Amino acid sequence: MQDYFYENPTYGPIFLRRRLRMQKELFLCIVDAVQGEDGYFRMSHDAADRNSLTPLQKCTLAIRQLVTGVSADTFDEYLKVVDTTRHICLKKLCRAVIRAYDAEYL
Protein backbone atom coordinates (compact mmCIF):
# COMPACT_ATOMS: atom_id res chain seq x y z
CA MET A 1 0.00 0.00 0.00
CA GLN A 2 2.71 2.45 1.01
CA ASP A 3 4.75 1.57 -2.08
CA TYR A 4 2.15 2.78 -4.59
CA PHE A 5 -1.12 4.06 -3.15
CA TYR A 6 -0.44 6.42 -0.26
CA GLU A 7 -0.40 10.16 -0.86
CA ASN A 8 3.40 10.18 -1.00
CA PRO A 9 4.19 6.66 -2.27
CA THR A 10 7.59 5.05 -1.97
CA TYR A 11 7.64 4.42 -5.73
CA GLY A 12 6.26 6.67 -8.44
CA PRO A 13 3.71 5.90 -11.16
CA ILE A 14 6.34 4.46 -13.49
CA PHE A 15 7.05 1.62 -11.07
CA LEU A 16 3.33 0.90 -10.60
CA ARG A 17 2.93 0.76 -14.38
CA ARG A 18 5.76 -1.76 -14.60
CA ARG A 19 4.28 -3.93 -11.85
CA LEU A 20 0.68 -3.97 -13.04
CA ARG A 21 1.14 -3.25 -16.75
CA MET A 22 -1.44 -0.44 -16.61
CA GLN A 23 -1.83 3.16 -15.48
CA LYS A 24 -2.82 3.80 -11.88
CA GLU A 25 -6.11 5.42 -12.98
CA LEU A 26 -7.16 2.32 -14.93
CA PHE A 27 -6.24 0.07 -12.03
CA LEU A 28 -8.32 2.17 -9.61
CA CYS A 29 -11.24 2.09 -12.07
CA ILE A 30 -11.07 -1.72 -12.11
CA VAL A 31 -10.91 -1.82 -8.31
CA ASP A 32 -14.05 0.34 -8.09
CA ALA A 33 -15.86 -1.83 -10.62
CA VAL A 34 -15.09 -5.12 -8.90
CA GLN A 35 -16.05 -3.69 -5.49
CA GLY A 36 -19.51 -3.04 -6.93
CA GLU A 37 -19.76 -6.54 -8.37
CA ASP A 38 -18.47 -8.67 -5.52
CA GLY A 39 -18.61 -8.00 -1.79
CA TYR A 40 -15.38 -9.96 -1.38
CA PHE A 41 -13.51 -6.89 -2.61
CA ARG A 42 -14.92 -4.59 0.07
CA MET A 43 -13.12 -3.97 3.34
CA SER A 44 -14.28 -6.33 6.10
CA HIS A 45 -13.33 -7.71 9.51
CA ASP A 46 -12.90 -11.27 10.68
CA ALA A 47 -14.28 -12.88 13.85
CA ALA A 48 -11.36 -11.52 15.88
CA ASP A 49 -12.18 -8.00 14.60
CA ARG A 50 -9.01 -7.81 12.51
CA ASN A 51 -9.08 -6.02 9.17
CA SER A 52 -9.07 -8.16 6.07
CA LEU A 53 -6.92 -7.30 3.08
CA THR A 54 -7.96 -4.03 1.46
CA PRO A 55 -9.61 -4.02 -1.97
CA LEU A 56 -6.38 -2.57 -3.40
CA GLN A 57 -4.33 -5.41 -1.94
CA LYS A 58 -6.71 -8.08 -3.23
CA CYS A 59 -6.84 -6.60 -6.72
CA THR A 60 -3.08 -6.05 -6.83
CA LEU A 61 -2.53 -9.66 -5.84
CA ALA A 62 -4.81 -11.02 -8.55
CA ILE A 63 -3.69 -8.69 -11.32
CA ARG A 64 -0.01 -9.34 -10.58
CA GLN A 65 -0.68 -13.04 -11.08
CA LEU A 66 -2.39 -12.34 -14.40
CA VAL A 67 0.14 -9.93 -15.87
CA THR A 68 3.23 -11.93 -14.96
CA GLY A 69 1.86 -15.32 -15.96
CA VAL A 70 3.89 -17.07 -13.28
CA SER A 71 2.88 -19.38 -10.48
CA ALA A 72 1.13 -17.79 -7.53
CA ASP A 73 3.88 -19.18 -5.30
CA THR A 74 6.23 -16.57 -6.75
CA PHE A 75 4.52 -13.90 -4.66
CA ASP A 76 4.70 -15.71 -1.30
CA GLU A 77 7.45 -13.63 0.26
CA TYR A 78 6.68 -10.31 -1.40
CA LEU A 79 2.92 -10.15 -0.77
CA LYS A 80 2.76 -12.39 2.32
CA VAL A 81 -0.60 -13.94 1.42
CA VAL A 82 -1.51 -17.61 1.79
CA ASP A 83 -2.19 -19.82 -1.21
CA THR A 84 -5.96 -20.07 -0.74
CA THR A 85 -6.32 -16.28 -0.57
CA ARG A 86 -4.32 -15.86 -3.77
CA HIS A 87 -6.48 -18.41 -5.55
CA ILE A 88 -9.75 -16.90 -4.29
CA CYS A 89 -8.67 -13.36 -5.21
CA LEU A 90 -7.77 -14.37 -8.74
CA LYS A 91 -10.94 -16.37 -9.31
CA LYS A 92 -13.23 -13.70 -7.88
CA LEU A 93 -11.47 -10.87 -9.72
CA CYS A 94 -11.90 -12.62 -13.07
CA ARG A 95 -15.59 -13.24 -12.44
CA ALA A 96 -16.20 -9.69 -11.19
CA VAL A 97 -14.43 -8.12 -14.19
CA ILE A 98 -16.52 -10.23 -16.56
CA ARG A 99 -19.72 -9.16 -14.82
CA ALA A 100 -18.67 -5.51 -14.67
CA TYR A 101 -17.48 -5.16 -18.27
CA ASP A 102 -19.35 -7.88 -20.13
CA ALA A 103 -21.99 -5.67 -21.74
CA GLU A 104 -19.53 -3.01 -22.83
CA TYR A 105 -16.46 -4.95 -23.92
CA LEU A 106 -17.24 -8.64 -24.19
Side-chain angles (χ1 to χ4, degrees), residues 4-61:
Y4 303 109
F5 299 108
Y6 284 173
E7 191 169 322
N8 293 316
T10 305
Y11 303 108
I14 293 171
F15 289 97
L16 178 71
R17 175 135 172 71
R18 284 185 196 159
R19 292 266 187 219
L20 300 177
R21 311 289 201 280
M22 67 181 78
Q23 297 290 333
K24 182 178 181 178
E25 295 77 20
L26 175 59
F27 176 75
L28 294 175
C29 183
I30 292 170
V31 171
D32 287 341
V34 298
Q35 281 181 329
E37 292 296 328
D38 192 334
Y40 178 77
F41 290 99
R42 294 187 199 110
M43 192 68 187
S44 62
H45 302 280
D46 64 11
D49 201 34
R50 293 177 299 191
N51 291 336
S52 68
L53 294 173
T54 67
L56 290 172
Q57 289 172 311
K58 291 175 184 177
C59 290
T60 301
L61 171 66

Side-chain angles (χ1 to χ4, degrees), residues 86-98:
R86 286 191 310 269
H87 183 71
I88 291 169
C89 284
L90 181 58
K91 192 176 192 179
K92 287 187 175 281
L93 179 89
C94 291
R95 289 183 179 159
V97 165
I98 290 170

